[in-house]
Amino acid sequence: MKKILFVLLLFILSLTSFTIPLNNMDKDGNVTLPNIELVDQYGKKHNLKDYKGKVIMINFWVSWCSDCKREVPAVVELYKEYGKNKKDVIILGVVSPVSKKFPKNRDRIEKKELLTYIKDNNYIFPNLFDETGKTYDEYEIEEYPSSFIINKNGHLRYYVKGAVSKEELKQYIDILLDPSQK
């Protein structure tokens, strides 16, 4: 009997050790996502915690995805419209290039090639390089693109799996910019 209880306890503990970002909820129902500390294509380090007090949109994408190729130019437009991360809205992309050390990362091209792809396509908003795949795993990215929109208090308010229009993203951001929204 003790052996069965021990095995059952181990099983339950193994389930709770997996972090599911969308289940990281406080008593008021607010979801806080894992922090991101990554470097962008310009060499600037970004820490999500530094942007508390601003609305944050994080867009996970890959170079081979046809929906991403349609959506990312709209993200660039939003980045420009909302002041290039100098005002109340922060727009970030996250990419995960393959490498010899991390061949199972989400993109199919290496960092150097991905940097060229970003530059050639004028994806001027900060694209953070998840070179280990850890951030993609923590955010459980399975569909591309995937967007997370976080309010000024650092809580997830919108999660969009798959392609979305510029107008819809803008609507979500504008709702969170409204002072009456938490």
Side-chain angles (χ1 to χ4, degrees):
M1 183 66 169
K2 284 184 180 181
K3 190 174 186 179
I4 293 171
L5 287 174
F6 180 72
V7 171
L8 184 60
L9 179 63
L10 283 177
F11 176 73
I12 291 169
L13 287 173
S14 72
L15 291 176
T16 60
S17 68
F18 295 104
T19 308
I20 300 171
L22 300 178
N23 288 341
N24 189 11
M25 191 178 298
D26 67 17
K27 62 180 173 44
D28 297 321
N30 296 308
V31 174
T32 303
L33 295 169
N35 191 39
I36 297 176
E37 287 185 75
L38 296 170
V39 176
D40 69 20
Q41 73 266 38
Y42 305 111
K44 180 182 178 193
K45 187 175 183 178
H46 295 261
N47 184 332
L48 219 51
K49 290 179 182 177
D50 293 341
Y51 300 125
K52 193 163 183 187
K54 297 181 183 277
V55 173
I56 306 166
M57 186 185 98
I58 308 168
N59 183 261
F60 289 81
W61 62 274
V62 289
S63 65
W64 51 264
C65 161
S66 58
D67 284 341
C68 299
K69 290 176 183 181
R70 285 189 297 275
E71 184 175 289
V72 175
V75 174
V76 172
E77 289 177 28
L78 289 170
Y79 173 73
K80 291 176 184 177
E81 287 175 25
Y82 285 107
K84 297 182 177 179
N85 291 358
K86 292 180 175 76
K87 296 183 180 177
D88 291 330
V89 177
I90 301 296
I91 295 179
L92 304 169
V94 182
V95 295
S96 186
V98 294
S99 65
K100 287 180 179 145
K101 189 173 181 181
F102 297 99
K104 293 184 180 182
N105 277 358
R106 303 317 198 284
D107 218 307
R108 296 177 182 160
I109 58 178
E110 293 188 6
K111 182 177 181 179
K112 185 177 178 182
E113 216 177 330
L114 193 50
L115 283 164
T116 301
Y117 179 85
I118 289 169
K119 185 177 180 183
D120 289 349
N121 286 285
N122 292 316
Y123 295 169
I124 61 171
F125 63 98
N127 284 281
L128 313 183
F129 278 76
D130 178 17
E131 296 185 57
T132 65
K134 179 182 174 209
T135 301
Y136 268 70
D137 289 342
E138 287 179 337
Y139 277 70
E140 299 182 2
I141 304 301
E142 297 172 359
E143 193 169 328
Y144 313 104
S146 286
S147 298
F148 296 81
I149 303 177
I150 302 166
N151 71 9
K152 292 179 180 185
N153 295 320
H155 301 125
L156 176 66
R157 284 297 174 253
Y158 301 101
Y159 171 48
V160 183
K161 230 178 171 180
V164 64
S165 70
K166 174 187 169 188
E167 292 73 26
E168 192 174 346
L169 289 172
K170 186 171 177 50
Q171 178 184 4
Y172 295 147
I173 292 168
D174 288 344
I175 288 170
L176 296 180
L177 287 173
D178 181 340
S180 67
Q181 299 294 318
K182 286 187 173 184

